[in-house]
Amino acid sequence: MRTAAGSGLGGVAGAAALAALLTVAGCGNPDTRPSGPESSSSSQVPSLTWEFEHIADFSGDLTDVALLAENDIWAVGTENDGDPAARLLHYDGARWTPEPLPGSLGTVEFPPALDEIGDGKIWLRTTPSLQGSTTTRWAQWDGTRWAAVPNPPPGAVTGLEADGPDDVWALTGERTAQHWNGSRWTTTSLPYKTADLAVVGPDDAWAVGRRSTGPGTELTGGTPYDQPATMHWDGTSWKAVDTPVTRFDDPIPPEPGAALTKVFALDSGEVRAYGVNGFNHGEGEEEPDEEYIRLRRDGSAWVAQEPAPGGCALRLPVAQDDAGLFLDGNWYLTDDGRCVKIQRHRLPLSTGARKPSNQSLWLSEVHRIPGTDSWLGAGHVQVNQSGDAFDAPVVVRLKRAG
């Protein structure tokens, strides 16, 4: 799951709510079942399986992947053997090989981020927010070589979305974003604290987060109650958009707060937003359930999404293909509303994973290979076994049957 610019929730209540969201519906819910797919319907259920494309020869994780073609794929990750080290891998159509990180990045402790920006180019950028620095250094792959990006945006970039090489948005603060038009970066201000953004098309982008002023943000006695916020870029400025207020029924639990943490644009242009209404657990005797916010843009208004069935109910979308949505935790929701668990294989014994080991597949990114119907995922298999637990960095390819 792509990292957002903060949780979108503040204080203890925010941390608890975000933790609940990630645990129940986020990247932190791996595939631990060796059995077949689960679905809300038994008729003509598609069979989906992640098959191993590459298993790296070190213990660690692949955190990002970018694909220009079937024979030009890059992945980055972390090696956990000894001191943690950033790793860069390349696939040329025949084999995966380790590659040195571009010298233009300087010293890199944490894995950089990979972004496909179109026109056959990839940006590789450091993550200064993790490294305690505000200096950003970027490299660009043009299909032949890595070179320094001469004008990366100022500030620490915590999220990036591109609609093309001349339409790129980067979050550089809770209320600041940078826009690249192909020749220069322009600083823009956002009305509210922002957690995520999505680009629909030219002069059409959405951001989500939370607001601390306006309707629903203050309880009796002055207790603050953050509310979900959405913002739209119309080519001129970011404008606040009316967003439904979310509140617990009385009695209100302690330190409540609601926010949106993810926005996703479908290929059709429909925009969906996801978040949580949470509170500070453990401060009261009877606690309500966390409330998960699911909105979609219907014309000029936000409305509630139709609930997804089965195990897809609280999952967040990570990618879309021609037949449905890939959801976190290795689930898939078809366009006709069927919920399918994507199967996966166990690691071969040659990796050191023993037969009785408990294995979980965690994917950080899922992408289509350009010009094909093939999909790759990157992440790791967590192997829990007595005396020798480890993480195996993997690239997986989706196999469809039926």
Side-chain angles (χ1 to χ4, degrees):
M1 182 179 73
R2 181 171 45 87
T3 303
S7 67
L9 292 171
V12 177
L18 180 64
L21 179 64
L22 292 177
T23 300
V24 176
C27 298
N29 200 332
D31 173 11
T32 59
R33 301 173 178 85
S35 58
E38 298 182 10
S39 172
S40 59
S41 171
S42 59
S43 62
Q44 297 181 343
V45 177
S47 176
L48 305 175
T49 304
W50 288 119
E51 297 190 335
F52 293 121
E53 178 83 0
H54 176 65
I55 304 172
D57 60 355
F58 59 89
S59 178
D61 183 19
L62 296 182
T63 55
D64 210 347
V65 64
L67 304 85
L68 290 183
E70 182 75 70
N71 62 352
D72 194 2
I73 301 171
W74 291 89
V76 294
T78 302
E79 179 180 356
N80 293 331
D81 297 325
D83 294 331
R87 297 290 297 265
L88 178 64
L89 304 176
H90 183 243
Y91 180 68
D92 62 4
R95 61 183 60 83
W96 286 88
T97 56
E99 298 284 344
L101 288 164
S104 59
L105 294 184
T107 302
V108 178
E109 180 180 354
F110 294 93
L114 285 163
D115 299 293
E116 303 141 345
I117 64 166
D119 199 24
K121 293 182 175 64
I122 293 172
W123 282 349
L124 181 66
R125 54 189 171 87
T126 57
T127 50
S129 59
L130 294 177
Q131 295 178 222
S133 169
T134 58
T135 300
T136 303
R137 304 181 69 173
W138 294 21
Q140 177 174 283
W141 174 257
D142 62 5
T144 303
R145 66 187 184 91
W146 289 103
V149 175
N151 297 306
V157 172
T158 53
L160 186 144
E161 291 290 330
D163 189 50
D166 57 356
D167 189 10
V168 182
W169 283 97
L171 284 175
T172 54
E174 284 189 323
R175 297 182 61 170
T176 304
Q178 305 282 340
H179 182 253
W180 173 253
N181 66 1
S183 59
R184 67 188 182 94
W185 292 96
T186 301
T187 303
T188 65
S189 297
L190 294 145
Y192 304 118
K193 292 182 178 180
T194 301
D196 194 22
L197 58 78
V199 180
V200 182
D203 299 333
D204 188 3
W206 286 87
V208 300
R210 60 187 172 98
R211 60 178 174 85
S212 302
T213 59
T217 59
E218 187 171 302
L219 301 176
T220 303
T223 301
Y225 198 147
D226 285 352
Q227 287 296 317
T230 60
M231 298 145 275
H232 182 249
W233 173 261
D234 60 6
T236 303
S237 64
W238 287 99
K239 294 180 174 61
V241 177
D242 288 340
T243 309
V245 170
T246 301
R247 292 168 65 103
F248 290 105
D249 293 332
D250 291 330
I252 302 292
E255 299 182 38
L260 296 171
T261 56
K262 182 178 179 63
V263 59
F264 189 86
L266 301 180
D267 292 342
S268 64
E270 179 182 306
V271 179
R272 299 183 180 182
Y274 303 82
V276 65
N277 182 28
F279 59 94
N280 187 6
H281 290 269
E283 296 294 318
E285 294 183 0
E286 295 187 9
E287 297 183 342
D289 293 331
E290 300 264 324
E291 297 178 355
Y292 296 93
I293 306 167
R294 300 288 187 270
L295 303 174
R296 65 178 179 87
R297 191 70 178 168
D298 184 11
S300 60
W302 288 105
V303 299
Q305 294 182 33
E306 291 293 326
C312 296
L314 296 178
R315 301 286 169 180
L316 303 182
V318 297
Q320 180 183 12
D321 68 359
D322 296 335
L325 290 173
F326 292 92
L327 308 179
D328 56 38
N330 302 320
W331 291 81
Y332 185 85
L333 180 65
T334 67
D335 286 340
D336 58 2
R338 290 172 293 169
C339 180
V340 180
K341 182 67 174 177
I342 304 177
Q343 302 177 69
R344 46 81 180 166
H345 293 291
R346 292 175 63 83
L347 290 171
L349 298 181
S350 59
T351 63
R354 298 193 289 268
K355 287 184 178 180
S357 63
N358 182 20
Q359 301 181 22
S360 307
L361 174 63
W362 300 65
L363 294 181
S364 303
E365 293 285 334
V366 175
H367 289 280
R368 185 200 301 266
I369 300 175
T372 76
D373 292 327
S374 296
W375 285 78
L376 294 185
H380 72 278
V381 174
Q382 179 178 332
V383 179
N384 292 322
Q385 57 189 10
S386 177
D388 188 23
F390 66 95
D391 294 331
V394 297
V395 178
V396 292
R397 185 184 291 262
L398 189 70
K399 179 181 179 181
R400 303 174 189 264

